Amino acid sequence: MLDLHDREWKEFRICDIFIIKAGKRLTKSDMASGNKPFIGATDNNNGITEFVSNTNISEDCNVLGVNYNGSVVENFYHPYTCIFSDDVKRFQTKQVQGNKYIYLFMKTVILQQKCKYAYGYKFNEKRMQKQSLLLPVDESGNPDYAFMEQYIKEREQQIIQKYIKYIGNNIQIGGGYNTP
């Protein structure tokens, strides 16, 4: 099993790891009801604050939506197509094609910065560019994306196995439910 303590870690600036793209303002009065998630600066519902049919230049997928306003530094992975509020930046990995596992690892690393920022000291783009993150590195001193991906895959499998065990212990063949 992979262990975070078995790795060497190094600081990297966010601007060296991610392309940072802006969201676009969409007022309530301009929103048209639909099926597309609209990502706002909230700390719940994976950042989804509305479902709209609107389209704009912030439409994206396979990115982290990182709040710089509202619930500052909160961030969510968006594998689906959605549009982003101007209070949310879109982070896309630069050196590798990001995926669910890499972005979920990065989500946690970014959240480690939450204590530095607040409503009065926003995580704006200038601060985002300069902010350092501690990441595991490979033998060459580069971010170890393969490790990040494998680490999250292992954690995902642990959770799945836990639920499978729970279901196996609590569901009887024939539809009955055993109480613990």
Side-chain angles (χ1 to χ4, degrees), residues 12-80:
F12 295 89
R13 290 183 322 163
I14 286 178
C15 66
D16 295 329
I17 303 299
F18 294 104
I19 298 166
I20 301 173
K21 301 184 272 184
K24 173 100 171 114
R25 180 168 299 272
L26 181 62
T27 63
K28 285 268 189 201
S29 62
D30 290 334
M31 288 181 181
S33 184
N35 298 330
K36 189 182 307 169
F38 175 75
I39 310 305
T42 185
D43 64 354
N44 56 53
N45 296 329
N46 214 47
I48 300 169
T49 58
E50 297 288 339
F51 286 91
V52 299
S53 60
N54 304 72
T55 301
N56 66 34
I57 60 170
S58 76
E59 189 169 293
D60 214 339
C61 67
N62 196 38
V63 295
L64 277 181
V66 182
N67 297 350
Y68 81 88
N69 206 3
S71 295
V72 180
V73 185
E74 284 295 334
N75 65 93
F76 298 99
Y77 172 58
H78 303 285
Y80 41 79

Side-chain angles (χ1 to χ4, degrees), residues 89-152:
K89 300 290 186 184
R90 297 170 286 146
F91 281 29
Q92 180 181 35
T93 50
K94 280 185 175 182
Q95 292 122 351
V96 297
Q97 174 66 40
N99 60 41
K100 167 184 165 181
Y101 304 103
I102 292 170
Y103 282 123
L104 290 177
F105 190 97
M106 292 294 194
K107 170 187 176 49
T108 302
V109 171
I110 292 167
L111 280 174
Q112 299 303 308
Q113 307 307 314
K114 190 169 180 68
C115 63
K116 293 180 182 177
Y117 300 97
Y119 182 77
Y121 189 70
K122 296 181 195 266
F123 193 42
N124 61 32
E125 188 169 350
K126 186 176 180 181
R127 291 182 181 126
M128 286 177 182
Q129 296 279 354
K130 293 179 182 180
Q131 180 61 57
S132 290
L133 303 174
L134 261 177
L135 299 174
V137 294
D138 59 20
E139 311 78 43
S140 303
N142 297 315
D144 194 342
Y145 294 104
F147 171 81
M148 295 178 213
E149 183 172 346
Q150 284 308 118
Y151 182 82
I152 297 299

